[in-house]
């Protein structure tokens, strides 16, 4: 079934202990789209400037991503982010952010995308995320991400959004900031009370936690031996989660659990290379082989 | 089958955000014994001073722990440790250590314990741990713990010990210090090359990792909502691991995996209360109920 993602499309300059890369294809919606497209067709809505290399959009289209919802602003400059990671990769410093055309982005969902059954609101201002919900059908399975900035500066909008989405995917620090709970499990339960049916907490190398009214599920991360660039790991995780759900059609707790395995596996490829390079060259058989190895690692029988 | 543990028996003064307790029953061998005794009989070898409350040894004996190998040094003073935990419980500061009678402890294994089939060398000087190996039968399944102090000050002895044991249970920081590898998975593989058949890396709230020649297995931690005192969690984890292995008899990769589930569950009770209080009152049915809940959380089917 059809997946719609709305979020940032960026040019990233990243420095990690494994090197420095300039003007990499980046952005939350980009990482999401590469990951989700491993499972089926994706509809992408975002904005770029005239400086954006058309080859990037062509490559996405080549992966089954409908990029006709990407607005190219004449004379505009694309969203740019620059950052560096600590030697242990556990923290990162943002060196510069130029919102450029993304700063005034008001997503207009093409009418032909309004029937999307799976909708992901990548990190953005909660009011902007909410305006996407206004433009899609009632029956869609909707999931949002957020970040500390919005938790601190747009809390009321964010709480209103959480009351409208079916799921939320955040990292453990965001879950703690949103709830004031130091304990990740309690934080997840608190977010569940804010409205969503499913709360997924990403813990990076430590795996993830799913909480729903049906229960709680835990999954370790795939043990990546060489992390080259963690940028976009959370977005590719969400992309594979939504992709696997859309492929399977129905969403329930068991389907969420299964999809989190795909999310974990795809995110592991994301972090093994810079930008989207780890996803760009990934094909089904390689993904399936790692998925099988991972299932063997986490299986108790 | 019989389990032998050799290690510290202490009186701990602990401060956590949940309170302060003086002269709690502590020590690696104590936490281990309480945990292992949930699965079968345990033989304990250690040393205490004349100040040690006999009620503590009687309580252990009441749990099926043979304390006849505990030496009480006339006029001696027991090992005492005092420490405090940070608000998030992720780091601790040692306020004082008085080794006292433990400082000159040279374990003499009673001949009637020499036929123990499962032997755990709790944290101690590697040369002291090795002298226990000299006193037990060839066919025993032997596992050791260690700590940063020995990695830094007794590396040659430790490497010699690792060449003689069947398994090692260490935390992730120790694994990194021992190998110089920043990546936990690679560190585990490196330790495997040092001799043991099985390497278990404890990651606290983030679960554990098992590496053997047969493969790699990952297990999340049980999601404890209120951690009151993490002291001894690693020792109770090891105690339940060895207890479950001894109950099942044979040791292979699948048995290790199953036993790590028990280790995870028992350690979760340990951290919910001060000292050994969480284990002292624990009985089989409560443990089994949490084990079933945990299996549901980590099961993918």
């Amino acid at each position: 079934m059809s997946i719609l993602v709305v979020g940032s499309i960026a040019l990233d300059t990243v420095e990690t202990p494994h090197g420095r890369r300039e003007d990499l294809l980046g952005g939350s919606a980009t990482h999401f789209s590469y990951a989700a497209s491993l499972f089926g067709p994706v509809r992408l809505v975002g904005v770029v400037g005239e400086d954006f290399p058309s080859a990037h959009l062509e490559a996405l289209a080549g992966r089954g991503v409908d990029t006709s919802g990407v607005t190219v602003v004449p004379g505009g400059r694309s969203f740019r982010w620059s950052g560096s990671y600590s030697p242990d990769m556990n923290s990162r410093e943002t060196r510069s952010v130029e919102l450029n055309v993304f700063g005034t982005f008001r997503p207009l969902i093409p009418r032909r995308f309004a029937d999307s059954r799976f909708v992901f609101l990548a990190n953005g201002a909660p009011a902007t995320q909410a305006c996407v919900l206004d433009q899609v059908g009632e029956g869609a399975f909707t999931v949002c991400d957020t970040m500390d900035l919005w938790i601190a500066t747009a809390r009321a909008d964010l709480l209103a959004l959480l009351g409208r989405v079916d799921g939320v995917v955040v990292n453990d620090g965001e879950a703690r900031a949103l709830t004031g709970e130091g304990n990740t499990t309690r934080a997840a339960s608190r977010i569940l009370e804010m409205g969503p049916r499913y709360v997924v907490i990403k813990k990076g190398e430590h795996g993830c936690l799913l909480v729903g009214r049906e229960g709680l599920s835990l999954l370790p991360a795939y043990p990546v031996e060489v992390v080259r660039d963690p940028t976009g790991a959370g977005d590719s995780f969400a992309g594979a989660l939504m992709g696997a759900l859309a492929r399977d059609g129905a969403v329930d707790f068991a389907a969420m659990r299964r999809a989190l395995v795909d999310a974990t596996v795809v995110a592991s490829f994301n972090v093994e290379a810079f930008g989207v390079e780890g996803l760009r060259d990934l094909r089904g058989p390689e993904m399936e082989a790692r998925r099988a190895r991972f299932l063997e690692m986490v299986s108790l029988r």
Side-chain angles (χ1 to χ4, degrees), chain A residues 214-232:
Chain A
E214 304 90 329
L216 183 155
S217 183
L218 302 162
L219 193 67
Y222 182 84
V224 174
E225 296 206 6
V226 181
V227 175
R228 285 190 184 79
D229 177 12
T231 310

Side-chain angles (χ1 to χ4, degrees), chain A residues 122-263:
Chain A
N123 174 37
T128 307
Q129 293 174 304
C131 92
V132 174
L133 288 187
D134 298 334
Q135 301 174 65
V136 297
E138 278 289 311
F141 182 75
T142 56
V143 176
C144 74
D145 188 4
T146 192
M147 71 183 291
D148 291 0
L149 174 67
W150 311 119
I151 294 167
T153 65
R155 188 175 173 83
D157 287 351
L158 180 57
L159 292 179
L161 181 74
L162 292 176
R164 297 180 64 189
V165 292
D166 298 298
V168 58
V169 178
V170 290
N171 70 37
D172 46 356
E174 290 156 357
R176 290 192 296 264
L178 178 56
T179 61
E181 278 286 358
N183 179 286
T184 305
T185 310
R186 285 204 310 266
S189 300
R190 290 280 308 279
I191 299 173
L192 198 67
E193 293 163 7
M194 296 173 182
R197 280 163 59 200
Y198 300 112
V199 177
V200 176
I201 313 275
K202 301 168 289 179
K203 301 190 292 177
E205 64 173 315
H206 301 305
C208 67
L209 169 71
L210 163 68
V211 177
R213 284 155 215 164
E214 304 90 329
L216 183 155
S217 183
L218 302 162
L219 193 67
Y222 182 84
V224 174
E225 296 206 6
V226 181
V227 175
R228 285 190 184 79
D229 177 12
T231 310
D235 299 303
S236 63
F237 180 94
L241 174 71
M242 295 294 274
L245 289 173
R247 181 194 56 196
D248 294 352
V251 181
D252 58 19
F253 196 73
M256 286 291 291
R257 274 183 170 182
R258 284 192 303 271
L260 286 172
V261 173
D262 294 293

Side-chain angles (χ1 to χ4, degrees), chain A residues 3 13 46 65 105 208:
Chain A
I3 300 175
T13 295
V65 178
F105 177 48
C208 67

Side-chain angles (χ1 to χ4, degrees), chain A residues 204-208 219-225 227 261 263-269 271-272 289-295 297-298:
Chain A
E205 64 173 315
H206 301 305
C208 67
L219 193 67
Y222 182 84
V224 174
E225 296 206 6
V227 175
V261 173
T264 297
V265 168
V266 170
S268 76
F269 285 102
V271 304
E272 287 180 333
R290 182 172 292 187
R291 188 176 190 281
R293 280 199 302 278
F294 181 60
L295 283 176
M297 290 175 187
V298 297

Side-chain angles (χ1 to χ4, degrees), chain A residues 62-144:
Chain A
R63 290 290 293 260
V65 178
D66 184 338
T67 60
S68 66
V70 177
T71 303
V72 182
V73 177
R77 192 169 151 83
S78 301
F79 178 28
R80 282 161 198 264
W81 176 82
S82 171
S84 64
Y85 288 84
S86 62
D88 68 0
M89 299 273 193
N90 285 329
S91 63
R92 80 177 183 192
E93 186 192 342
T94 292
R95 287 183 172 167
S96 67
V97 181
E98 294 176 41
L99 289 177
N100 299 326
V101 295
F102 189 62
T104 51
F105 177 48
R106 292 293 168 270
L108 189 69
I109 309 303
R111 192 158 307 178
R112 65 189 178 282
F113 289 178
D115 65 348
S116 301
R117 304 295 297 161
F118 291 82
V119 175
F120 186 71
L121 312 170
N123 174 37
T128 307
Q129 293 174 304
C131 92
V132 174
L133 288 187
D134 298 334
Q135 301 174 65
V136 297
E138 278 289 311
F141 182 75
T142 56
V143 176
C144 74

